[in-house]
Amino acid sequence: MAPLLMAQSGAKPVLVPDVSQRNIEIVYSFTGAELLLFGAILYPGGRLPKGEAPTDIVVVVKGPTQSILVREKEKVAGIWVNAARLRYRSAPSFYAVASSRPIERIVDERTRAIYELGLGSLQLSPASSATSDVERRFQAGLVDLKRRAGLYVEAPGAVEITDGVLYRGRVSIPARVPVGRFTAETFLIRDGRVLAAAVRDIDIRKSGFERFVARAADRSSVLYGLVAVALSVALGWIAGQVARRRA
């Protein structure tokens, strides 16, 4: 029995996470959504160990990566023009982190960098070489732009843990969210160490007429452009005829 008891005492807890919506459809009336992330912490023996430090939960929701070109504006002769620029090969199109406490109080800087916990710990990949100061400046600019658009979010204290076993948190999905395969990764942390992690997938896609337009633009870009121009000319001509008749 001794080896069994020792193995049980050294076993780690297991996360059982889930999300309120596995599929989010974007239609013409889509104004955003609220994603509920919840789950349970399964401890060895089926009960919360006594005398141990409390655990924390961090949930990271990421969108598909994309290539992004960041331009820096500079004022020349009183006019703002594009100056330096830096391209990132793979930056998350959406990033939201919700935690039971501020990230800085849960894990150290090294652990934050390993698991990319927090906006300041994102590991972006510049396509061209640049000095560390330039990279930090452009990364701060990119994060600021995404944050103002509602696509990069930090929500400390947004995760609630009940009786040390059940947890839940909410992440807002903006109306301008990109489509694709998203991941919701949950981390269980105690004493600055990640004890367990689990991932759930979320699909965000366009539906109805919006999906048809998006597919047409992607598969037949030339035809789509010609049709769009023709429709614009036709609608302009119709508007002109209506205005003349009313005059």
Side-chain angles (χ1 to χ4, degrees):
M1 293 295 294
L4 293 177
L5 292 176
M6 291 176 63
Q8 184 177 8
S9 62
K12 295 181 180 180
V14 177
L15 279 172
V16 184
D18 207 348
V19 294
S20 58
Q21 293 177 266
R22 296 289 184 91
N23 298 284
I24 299 177
E25 294 187 350
I26 298 178
V27 295
Y28 72 94
S29 59
F30 182 76
T31 58
E34 190 173 55
L35 197 63
L36 175 65
L37 306 111
F38 59 94
I41 307 170
L42 301 182
Y43 291 96
R47 64 181 61 183
L48 180 65
K50 295 182 179 180
E52 292 190 0
T55 55
D56 286 288
I57 291 289
V58 179
V59 180
V60 177
V61 180
K62 280 185 180 181
T65 58
Q66 57 184 196
S67 176
I68 298 179
L69 178 62
V70 182
R71 293 184 175 92
E72 187 177 47
K73 290 187 176 181
E74 184 178 349
K75 199 170 186 179
V76 179
I79 301 175
W80 288 100
V81 297
N82 292 326
R85 62 181 183 177
L86 185 63
R87 179 177 294 276
Y88 291 94
R89 288 190 298 267
S90 58
S93 56
F94 178 83
Y95 178 92
V97 54
S99 55
S100 53
R101 291 189 297 160
I103 299 294
E104 295 77 10
R105 300 182 183 179
I106 298 177
V107 290
D108 56 19
E109 183 177 357
R110 179 175 177 273
T111 305
R112 293 199 301 270
I114 292 174
Y115 295 97
E116 291 187 290
L117 302 178
L119 295 177
S121 302
L122 286 176
Q123 304 299 314
L124 304 179
S125 303
S128 57
S129 60
T131 63
S132 57
D133 292 339
V134 172
E135 287 186 9
R136 282 194 297 267
R137 188 173 75 249
F138 273 87
Q139 180 166 338
L142 173 60
V143 170
D144 181 63
L145 290 173
K146 291 286 190 178
R147 175 181 285 176
R148 283 188 286 172
L151 297 175
Y152 281 9
V153 181
E154 276 187 331
V159 177
E160 179 184 352
I161 303 177
T162 304
D163 297 330
V165 176
L166 303 177
Y167 70 88
R168 62 178 181 178
R170 298 182 184 273
V171 171
S172 296
I173 304 297
R176 297 175 56 187
V177 65
V179 297
R181 176 64 59 88
F182 284 57
T183 58
E185 190 168 8
T186 306
F187 299 91
L188 177 65
I189 302 174
R190 179 194 292 141
D191 290 332
R193 295 186 302 109
V194 176
L195 301 181
V199 182
R200 289 293 180 268
D201 293 332
I202 304 168
D203 285 324
I204 299 181
R205 60 178 182 269
K206 294 185 178 181
S207 179
F209 182 71
E210 286 74 12
R211 185 178 184 181
F212 168 76
V213 172
R215 282 189 172 185
D218 182 56
R219 296 179 179 178
S220 305
S221 57
V222 176
L223 181 60
Y224 172 80
L226 293 175
V227 171
V229 172
L231 284 176
S232 299
V233 172
L235 291 175
W237 181 81
I238 293 173
Q241 292 299 320
V242 172
R244 287 180 183 178
R245 289 182 180 181
R246 289 184 178 181

